[in-house]
Amino acid sequence: MSSYSITEPSVRLKWIACVLVVLYALITLVPLLWIIATGFKSSSDAIAYPPKVVFEPTLEGYVNLFTLQNRAGAEQLAANPPTTWYEQIVHDKGMVISGPSRFGERFMNSVIIGFGSTFLSVFLGTLAAYAFSRYRIPLKDDLMFFILSTRMMPPIAVAIPIFLMFRAAGLSDTHAGMILLYTAVNLSLAVWLLKGFIDEIPREYEEAALIDGYTRFQAFVKVVLPQAATGIASTAIFCLIFAWNEYAFAVLLTSGTAQTAPPFIPTIIGVGGRDWPAVAAGATLFLVPVMVFTILLRKHLLRGITFGAVRK
Amino acid sequence: MAEVRLGNVSKSFGSTPAVVDMDLTIAHGEFLVLLGPTGAGKTTTLRLIAGLEAPDQGDIEIDGRSVTRETPAQRDVAMVFQQYSLYPHLSVRDNLAFPLRSPILRTPEAEIRRKVQQVAETLQIAHKLDNKATALSGGEMQRVSIGRALVRDPAIYLMDEPLSSLDAKLRADLRVELKRIQAELGATLLYVTHDQTEAMTMATRIGVLDEGRLVQIGTPREIYENPVSLYVAGRLGQPRINVLPAGVFPAAPKGADRIALRPEHIRIGAGQPAQVVRVEHLGDQTRLHLSLQGHALITLADPHTALAAGDALSVEPANALYFDATGARIP
Amino acid sequence: MAEIVIKNLRKEFGSFTAVEGSSFKIEDGEFFMLLGPSGCGKTTTLRMIAGLELPTSGEIYIDGEECGRKPASQRDIAFVFQMFALYPHMNVRRNISYPLASQGMPRAQIRDKVAEVARILGITDILDRPVGGLSGGDRQRVALGRAIVRDPKCFLMDEPLGALDAEFREHMAEELRALHDRMGATTVYVTHDQLEAMQMGDKIVVMNHGVVEQFGTPQDIYDKPATMFVAGFIGSPPMNFLRFHGRVAAGATEIAMRHASFKVPQTRSPFEGDMALGVRPEHVRLSDRSTFRGRVLASEYLGTTQIVTVQTQDGQIKARVPSDKQVRMDEAVGLEFTSSTITLFDAQTGHALRSELNEGVLAHG
Ligand SMILES: Nc1ncnc2c1ncn2[C@@H]1O[C@H](COP(=O)(O)OP(=O)(O)O)[C@@H](O)[C@H]1O
Ligand SMILES: Nc1ncnc2c1ncn2[C@@H]1O[C@H](COP(=O)(O)OP(=O)(O)O)[C@@H](O)[C@H]1O
Ligand SMILES: [Mg+2]
Ligand SMILES: [Mg+2]
């Protein structure tokens, strides 16, 4: 007789489920893979029809992304023989490099503003959430609601007042201004998310530390923070994703020194005709920091599932 | 170790009284158990002593010094919580060392190692010291949380039902163990529980709580043999004490409203006629469920008794307790 | 009403064997206990009887008819789950009448039936309340009501009192047993609480690691354990074991250990090797005359009796003695056993050695 359970799915069912999950994963990954591949295609391969799946990889897109180029005549080309691999690539197209593009700068702006505002949101959010979770605060519920209400309309609805305020305060097109703005937008989400996580940490843990001779702040650092790691990690990811991808305010409030990558990437399209490989290269690079950040924090996210030495 | 005194301490949460006018002295080196059902105010009493709650009125003294206004850290008490005992992000060793590393104690690391090792050996968890706190069985977790109190040498140990979530066998072992450790350390220990077996087997004195009031305090034997009220009489004894209208048996004292009979205080062979409803063989004892004038009554019989359901017999009280209409004992 | 016979029932989950060749018989109208530590296969056995799980091999006869492969709906069995599985969006009445309504019983008949069940369980006045706000005990009564209302051939209950607190549990246990005595329906009840099993059961099956260790009446299992596991699982405190290496001849009435020798019920077969002498705490007396001596480690007051733990050269012994006997810590005391109650075990396999005491039980056990 075969072993067979009424509640356990059969082997065939498990296979079907497995195939479906893999298919779904492939479908969702195709656009991403396509962008990455396009970054390594030549301009003609990128727009070939039918689309090319097998192609000869080139770094042309990346070189175009990071440099400014001019078309050059034959004598000018001969006068400037290429000395590096990227000059060679440009040279082969009959062009010369006239200088670095602004992508590197924009990218760094994104990193500074994105991570800066994420750190600030999570830091302030954790302290506020702890206070809301543990202390008796007058009008607590109303205050929490007020904090949430700041997110009830799309932030861009207040774009004009903010624009005027920034101009008056001299914050337009500054890193500090953008960090402040993104922090303000993210903070309400951070407080709400983190309060939920901290509420789940039993007070008894801190009380045990208080009785053992620790101050409240020490108990917070040694007992609450490590246990809130899951919440802090997921909140940080949410905050970073918002700040990283934000487009509207970046267009409105920055132009030069503090401009982030999102408003910059579309401008690549205009630079040298339809340079799709360069756009794809920019998009690929733009994905990397958020992906790395999420992967680094993944350990904490998963730990949440097996959390807690609570007696049942 | 020290004497701890509560003087007329009361605490309410909103309109719910949790502790009412509690007057209690825990003597130096005593194992005092507070016994009461859920909601009787046991946890609140411990939290008041630890300084996690402030009393509405009354005074708390440790070693003759009023600590009512002190922080938990200043009071020098150790507490084992009913739940949530271990820090999941620390190893067993770091959990045990946690109180020793506090800014108040600031123990040198070598001393910490020695103490942790010693306590771990006493509690038989030395081989688990480098485990994550989450990678322990329930019984081991409980021993670690008791160990976290034992590494210190506080004025008093406070324990909040530390054994209630363990299975029967482990509970029995840890009861003996805890009693032995307390005797060896000469520690002052206040232990609260709803489990009568724990109270009876470990306590030097039992305090019985009823809705926040301390209704009787005495040795287990005093409480078992001389309860001041029907409520107290019902707290100890398994099977539970039988309570019947006083008139069921002749010769009730004046003013008696109810008679209470422990199962072992019913003599079979003479007196009032009764019927056997059911016979329960529990191995070491056999319980007879009787019906006496329509009232249910449980008594004990020899393990190999020939009595069976439907049999008739006569019963009479030996050593009855009488109570008046308010539930107070009539001497 | 039903008689249930289990023959060589076996269940594997992949390579893991949850139940290994169980055989036992549940008589018509019996209150039958499946007892064992958690994970020993009690629930799996019960689910196979109910038809929620198919046996890997073996047979289940209900009223003489083999139905190991029949679907649950054709077995006419009611199952009460550990967690009161009530429908949260229905009130008490609808919860109880649900099984009838799904059978297509006429409205008026359902009303009468529900009223009758509610009266038996004493829940008439909460019939129209939502189940959400009920106390643990009332929820459990409703869950019982839903099982009773169908008049099934038998009831299967999986730790139905597990989620209640101690005091109320005792009360509910009595109520359940009284209900059974009134209705007389065959009941199979799973529990890990030995006291509950002893208290409520007509018969007990003790399981461990998927194996049936012993099957019999509570008193037999208590007095004449077939294995060391049973002896150690049942009783509070459980049976004492003194372990030693020794030998007995068939027909011996005395056993020699390293430091003492004891009278035992006459043995039926010879044995040599690692053994354990088992004696229940209430069959140990403190006696100054005895030469078998030890030191008092602890004494636990329990009202009329106390448990005294004594360390002897041959091992630790717990004795249940009257509480008026004064014992001091570290005092040296002598111990005597009631020799007719002693069981000897083969310490290697854990099986009891046959003797005058237990041969009747072990023969068909
Ligand atoms: N923080 C609190 N807020 C409101 N009521 C509380 C609080 N703590 C305890 N109580 C109430 O005080 C009473 C006593 O509770 P507790 O001391 O926890 O009892 P026990 O530990 O004996 O079960 C209960 O009625 C409980 O509901
Ligand atoms: N569906 C299943 N798949 C795999 N193993 C199972 C399954 N159900 C139960 N088991 C295993 O079988 C053993 C017995 O389980 P169970 O019958 O639930 O025990 P009990 O009710 O006695 O606690 C356990 O080790 C359990 O992990
Ligand atoms: Mg409590
Ligand atoms: Mg189970």
Side-chain angles (χ1 to χ4, degrees):
Chain A
M1 237 173 267
S2 72
S3 167
Y4 171 81
S5 165
I6 293 169
T7 47
E8 179 88 341
S10 70
V11 177
R12 210 177 75 208
L13 214 66
K14 279 183 182 171
W15 266 106
I16 294 174
C18 186
V19 168
L20 284 178
V21 168
V22 169
L23 265 180
Y24 177 73
L26 280 179
I27 290 169
T28 51
L29 279 178
V30 162
L32 196 62
L33 295 175
W34 198 254
I35 284 187
I36 294 173
T38 305
F40 291 100
K41 286 181 179 175
S42 63
S43 303
S44 53
D45 280 351
I47 53 171
Y49 190 86
K52 277 196 172 170
V53 178
V54 183
F55 57 92
E56 197 184 323
T58 160
L59 285 170
E60 196 185 316
Y62 286 85
V63 174
N64 292 352
L65 176 67
F66 280 99
T67 58
L68 295 175
Q69 303 162 9
N70 285 327
R71 184 157 298 283
E75 65 278 18
Q76 198 183 348
L77 283 176
N80 295 305
T83 53
T84 60
W85 59 268
Y86 52 86
E87 282 176 13
Q88 180 71 53
I89 290 176
V90 178
H91 189 266
D92 292 349
K93 292 194 302 180
M95 299 179 76
V96 290
I97 293 173
S98 62
S101 79
R102 313 205 62 174
F103 181 76
E105 219 175 279
R106 301 294 188 250
F107 191 79
M108 277 318 291
N109 284 342
S110 262
V111 169
I112 292 168
I113 292 168
F115 283 89
S117 75
T118 299
F119 172 79
L120 209 59
S121 307
V122 171
F123 177 76
L124 294 175
T126 309
L127 292 181
Y130 180 74
F132 273 116
S133 172
R134 293 297 197 256
Y135 289 98
R136 219 169 292 160
I137 294 173
L139 300 178
K140 183 192 283 191
D141 292 345
D142 302 298
L143 282 174
M144 283 301 287
F145 181 76
F146 167 71
I147 289 175
L148 186 66
S149 71
T150 60
R151 283 303 296 267
M152 283 183 181
M153 56 185 151
I156 201 65
V158 288
I160 293 169
I162 285 180
F163 181 76
L164 297 175
M165 279 154 68
F166 266 49
R167 206 172 54 182
L171 288 170
S172 296
D173 206 14
T174 62
H175 290 106
M178 293 312 287
I179 290 177
L180 210 61
L181 178 67
Y182 290 162
T183 303
V185 174
N186 272 334
L187 198 54
S188 71
L189 177 77
V191 171
W192 271 81
L193 276 179
L194 285 164
K195 178 169 181 294
F197 279 103
I198 292 176
D199 281 344
E200 295 287 303
I201 302 172
R203 278 162 188 270
E204 279 87 344
Y205 283 126
E206 289 148 82
E207 292 179 337
L210 291 185
I211 291 175
D212 284 340
Y214 290 81
T215 63
R216 194 168 258 286
F217 182 70
Q218 288 164 330
F220 171 71
V221 172
K222 287 195 185 276
V223 178
V224 178
L225 276 190
Q227 297 195 59
T230 306
I232 291 175
S234 42
T235 308
I237 289 172
F238 277 121
C239 290
L240 181 67
I241 289 175
F242 171 79
W244 192 254
N245 293 339
E246 204 283 326
Y247 179 78
F249 277 116
V251 169
L252 187 70
L253 296 177
T254 63
S255 48
T257 46
Q259 194 176 57
T260 52
F264 179 75
I265 291 176
T267 65
I268 304 168
I269 300 174
V271 172
R274 292 282 145 94
D275 191 358
W276 293 115
V279 174
T284 305
L285 287 181
F286 187 65
L287 279 175
V288 169
V290 178
M291 249 157 68
V292 170
F293 187 65
T294 309
I295 288 169
L296 285 181
L297 292 185
R298 191 188 47 176
K299 192 180 89 218
H300 293 288
L301 295 182
L302 288 182
R303 245 180 44 161
I305 299 166
T306 54
F307 218 57
V310 174
R311 287 189 271 140
K312 292 184 195 88
Chain B
M1 290 303 132
E3 181 186 281
V4 175
R5 210 179 65 76
L6 303 188
N8 282 324
V9 171
S10 294
K11 173 77 186 174
S12 303
F13 295 100
S15 61
T16 317
V19 170
V20 184
D21 243 353
M22 175 137 5
D23 246 323
L24 175 68
T25 303
I26 305 145
H28 175 85
E30 182 174 33
F31 197 131
L32 185 78
V33 176
L34 290 181
L35 176 68
T38 306
K42 304 182 295 293
T43 301
T44 307
T45 307
L46 292 190
R47 292 172 60 86
L48 284 165
I49 297 175
L52 297 173
E53 302 285 356
D56 297 336
Q57 65 166 57
D59 192 44
I60 299 164
E61 284 176 16
I62 296 180
D63 236 359
R65 145 184 76 102
S66 170
V67 297
T68 318
R69 318 225 147 271
E70 291 184 359
T71 65
Q74 290 166 329
R75 295 187 187 197
D76 189 24
V77 301
M79 182 156 164
V80 178
F81 287 80
Q82 184 167 5
Q83 256 188 327
Y84 311 122
S85 40
L86 304 188
Y87 300 125
H89 58 290
L90 298 180
S91 69
V92 170
R93 183 187 299 283
D94 288 337
N95 262 288
L96 288 173
F98 192 81
L100 297 175
R101 294 197 174 123
S102 80
I104 292 214
L105 291 182
R106 286 194 191 286
T107 320
E109 281 300 317
E111 172 74 5
I112 290 180
R113 269 199 101 73
R114 197 187 57 73
K115 269 223 147 126
V116 165
Q117 188 66 31
Q118 181 196 338
V119 165
E121 270 160 27
T122 313
L123 293 169
Q124 295 165 16
I125 41 171
H127 57 295
K128 299 277 180 178
L129 273 177
D130 295 307
N131 276 33
K132 287 271 294 186
T134 38
L136 295 179
S137 73
E140 287 163 347
M141 278 192 199
Q142 204 41 41
R143 275 182 272 176
V144 176
S145 60
I146 292 172
R148 263 219 336 239
L150 294 182
V151 291
R152 291 179 50 196
D153 183 21
I156 184 169
Y157 294 103
L158 306 172
M159 302 200 178
D160 192 357
E161 314 206 20
L163 308 184
S164 62
S165 54
L166 304 179
D167 64 38
K169 176 154 169 43
L170 203 64
R171 236 180 5 230
D173 290 349
L174 278 180
R175 274 200 318 254
V176 174
E177 191 77 346
L178 209 54
K179 178 81 186 153
R180 187 181 60 72
I181 292 171
Q182 184 266 343
E184 262 167 28
L185 296 176
T188 309
L189 206 159
L190 177 59
Y191 184 106
V192 308
T193 181
H194 70 266
D195 180 312
Q196 53 160 309
T197 312
E198 284 174 22
M200 278 208 276
T201 56
M202 294 194 291
T204 43
R205 283 192 304 160
I206 296 177
V208 181
L209 289 186
D210 180 13
E211 296 185 346
R213 280 172 211 279
L214 184 64
V215 288
Q216 188 174 2
I217 184 162
T219 63
R221 193 178 291 262
E222 279 163 18
I223 305 273
Y224 186 77
E225 291 173 0
N226 272 313
V228 297
S229 68
L230 205 49
Y231 174 82
V232 175
R235 305 267 38 109
L236 295 188
Q238 231 168 359
R240 198 156 345 149
I241 197 163
N242 298 289
V243 180
L244 304 167
V248 167
F249 294 102
K254 208 166 83 58
D257 181 61
R258 271 158 296 171
I259 178 172
L261 284 167
R262 298 226 179 258
E264 65 271 19
H265 291 158
I266 296 173
R267 243 195 319 266
I268 297 175
Q272 304 296 310
Q275 281 237 310
V276 178
V277 177
R278 216 169 94 64
V279 183
E280 264 173 25
H281 292 280
L282 299 188
D284 60 318
Q285 52 172 247
T286 290
R287 295 182 185 172
L288 297 180
H289 293 246
L290 306 178
S291 166
L292 173 77
Q293 298 170 24
H295 302 286
L297 190 66
I298 298 181
T299 182
L300 301 179
D302 178 76
H304 297 275
T305 181
L307 286 169
D311 290 357
L313 42 70
S314 319
V315 292
E316 65 176 356
N319 263 333
L321 306 172
Y322 292 96
F323 297 88
D324 67 18
T326 65
R329 174 91 179 275
I330 297 177
Chain C
M1 302 303 107
E3 176 196 86
I4 303 172
V5 178
I6 305 293
K7 274 205 187 129
N8 297 319
L9 194 62
R10 189 180 168 82
K11 176 71 191 180
E12 290 165 11
F13 292 107
S15 63
F16 177 79
T17 308
V19 177
E20 279 186 45
S22 297
S23 298
F24 49 86
K25 180 174 172 188
I26 303 164
E27 310 264 358
D28 187 15
E30 214 163 48
F31 203 109
F32 190 90
M33 292 289 179
L34 272 173
L35 173 67
S38 99
C40 73
K42 307 180 296 289
T43 298
T44 307
T45 305
L46 200 68
R47 287 169 62 83
M48 285 192 285
I49 298 176
L52 297 172
E53 203 87 60
L54 282 188
T56 306
S57 65
E59 294 110 61
I60 299 166
Y61 296 91
I62 299 181
D63 273 343
E65 183 194 355
E66 211 285 313
C67 55
R69 330 229 106 224
K70 265 202 208 167
S73 54
Q74 287 172 28
R75 298 194 192 189
D76 196 11
I77 272 171
F79 203 104
V80 181
F81 290 90
Q82 173 164 7
M83 286 306 178
F84 337 103
L86 300 178
Y87 303 116
H89 56 287
M90 298 183 186
N91 67 14
V92 172
R93 180 189 303 282
R94 297 251 322 218
N95 259 287
I96 295 178
S97 58
Y98 189 75
L100 301 182
S102 64
Q103 278 174 7
M105 186 187 273
R107 280 271 183 90
Q109 206 178 334
I110 292 181
R111 261 201 106 70
D112 294 349
K113 200 84 203 168
V114 171
E116 181 195 337
V117 166
R119 194 174 39 73
I120 293 177
L121 292 168
I123 50 173
T124 308
D125 48 339
I126 59 167
L127 269 180
D128 293 309
R129 295 248 294 270
V131 295
L134 298 182
S135 69
D138 282 340
R139 283 164 154 259
Q140 194 57 346
R141 289 196 185 89
V142 176
L144 278 173
R146 206 166 60 185
I148 295 171
V149 76
R150 276 174 38 204
D151 271 332
K153 274 192 189 155
C154 80
F155 293 108
L156 306 182
M157 306 192 183
D158 192 358
E159 312 213 10
L161 307 182
L164 303 180
D165 60 25
E167 211 159 311
F168 193 71
R169 208 164 146 154
E170 201 172 324
H171 176 74
M172 258 331 261
E174 271 166 36
E175 209 169 288
L176 259 182
R177 178 67 216 208
L179 185 69
H180 171 265
D181 291 349
R182 276 205 301 279
M183 312 210 329
T186 311
T187 304
V188 187
Y189 185 108
V190 162
T191 178
H192 66 268
D193 180 338
Q194 56 99 14
L195 189 65
E196 203 170 275
M198 297 288 289
Q199 214 171 346
M200 299 168 74
D202 295 319
K203 290 259 184 60
I204 298 178
V205 153
V206 186
M207 291 183 67
N208 188 30
H209 293 312
V211 178
V212 170
E213 297 263 336
Q214 193 168 3
F215 159 49
T217 63
Q219 192 69 41
D220 273 353
I221 286 180
Y222 188 85
D223 290 338
K224 302 157 189 174
T227 65
M228 286 175 79
F229 173 81
V230 173
F233 191 72
I234 289 179
S236 165
M239 187 177 262
N240 296 295
F241 296 118
L242 294 176
R243 288 160 194 274
F244 61 103
H245 188 88
R247 58 189 291 190
V248 280
T253 57
E254 188 153 334
I255 181 98
M257 297 179 11
R258 260 168 305 162
H259 305 283
S261 75
F262 297 98
K263 283 211 166 346
V264 294
Q266 194 176 54
T267 58
R268 289 295 185 244
S269 50
F271 182 81
E272 177 166 4
D274 289 329
M275 308 173 64
L277 177 148
V279 60
R280 295 257 174 219
E282 59 274 18
H283 298 136
V284 181
R285 287 181 306 282
L286 303 187
S287 152
D288 293 333
R289 288 193 315 273
S290 170
T291 55
F292 183 62
R293 303 191 74 81
R295 188 172 61 86
V296 175
L297 280 188
S299 116
E300 299 175 82
Y301 177 76
L302 286 174
T304 36
T305 60
Q306 60 182 330
I307 305 294
V308 180
T309 310
V310 180
Q311 183 70 48
T312 75
Q313 279 181 297
D314 290 290
Q316 235 180 52
I317 293 275
K318 285 186 194 278
R320 186 187 285 274
V321 301
S323 59
D324 43 24
K325 168 112 188 155
Q326 289 290 325
V327 269
R328 282 184 308 278
M329 294 274 273
D330 288 324
E331 181 185 11
V333 293
L335 298 174
E336 269 177 7
F337 302 156
T338 308
S339 53
S340 61
T341 66
I342 289 176
T343 307
L344 293 176
F345 296 92
D346 173 346
Q348 218 99 63
T349 65
H351 289 294
L353 304 183
R354 292 200 177 194
S355 73
E356 194 182 353
L357 171 71
N358 60 19
E359 61 183 343
V361 168
L362 293 193
H364 60 74

